[in-house]
Amino acid sequence: MNPIPGQRKIEGVVPAPADLPRLRVGQRVRVGNLTPVGHYRVPTYLRGKEAVIEAIMSPRAVNNEEEGFGRNAGSLGVYYRIAVPMTEIWKDYAGSPGDNLRIEVFETWLEELDDDRP
């Protein structure tokens, strides 16, 4: 399986480790509890919430938060689609326990959680 979604696999060409996504589909993560000044693209109510990586977006893209301030200089990173359980956002959520909010988040916002946590 090609480790970079949407990218053509060329026989004999191996991607550099820095070009591989840091996280994997199915991995548990926490949305960072960051407090950036100015423009940011992650809703406040998702900070500190646990989620699961649902997809790795491709191709790599610029960090829109840094780009908004002209600080990106064309460097690329990975956006991940995460699924945040509604019960993680609202503790008294009365809908189906399988309901999730899905959002694409830039890699700098996501913290890895240990796989063996309950």
Side-chain angles (χ1 to χ4, degrees):
M1 179 176 177
N2 193 2
I4 305 173
Q7 191 170 46
R8 213 168 36 119
K9 183 173 179 163
I10 301 171
E11 198 61 40
V13 175
V14 178
D19 290 336
L20 295 173
R22 177 173 59 94
L23 306 169
R24 67 186 184 289
V25 172
Q27 186 172 2
R28 295 177 57 245
V29 294
R30 178 177 292 114
V31 177
N33 196 6
L34 308 174
T35 55
V37 174
H39 175 78
Y40 59 89
R41 299 187 49 102
V42 175
T44 305
Y45 62 86
L46 292 180
R47 293 179 188 174
K49 304 301 183 197
E50 293 187 13
V52 173
I53 302 291
E54 195 170 77
I56 300 169
M57 309 312 292
S58 186
R60 295 169 70 85
V62 297
N63 179 343
N64 288 326
E65 293 170 348
E66 292 297 311
E67 191 75 7
F69 292 103
R71 295 189 297 242
N72 202 43
S75 61
L76 301 177
V78 178
Y79 279 87
Y80 295 90
R81 178 175 305 127
I82 61 171
V84 184
M86 297 300 252
T87 52
E88 179 73 11
I89 301 168
W90 296 285
K91 297 299 180 194
D92 57 350
Y93 181 72
S96 170
D99 289 349
N100 294 288
L101 178 142
R102 289 169 173 80
I103 184 171
E104 278 106 36
V105 177
F106 196 69
E107 61 189 346
T108 55
W109 280 91
L110 299 175
E111 304 166 0
E112 297 180 54
L113 293 177
D114 295 334
D115 288 338
D116 59 351
R117 288 183 47 178

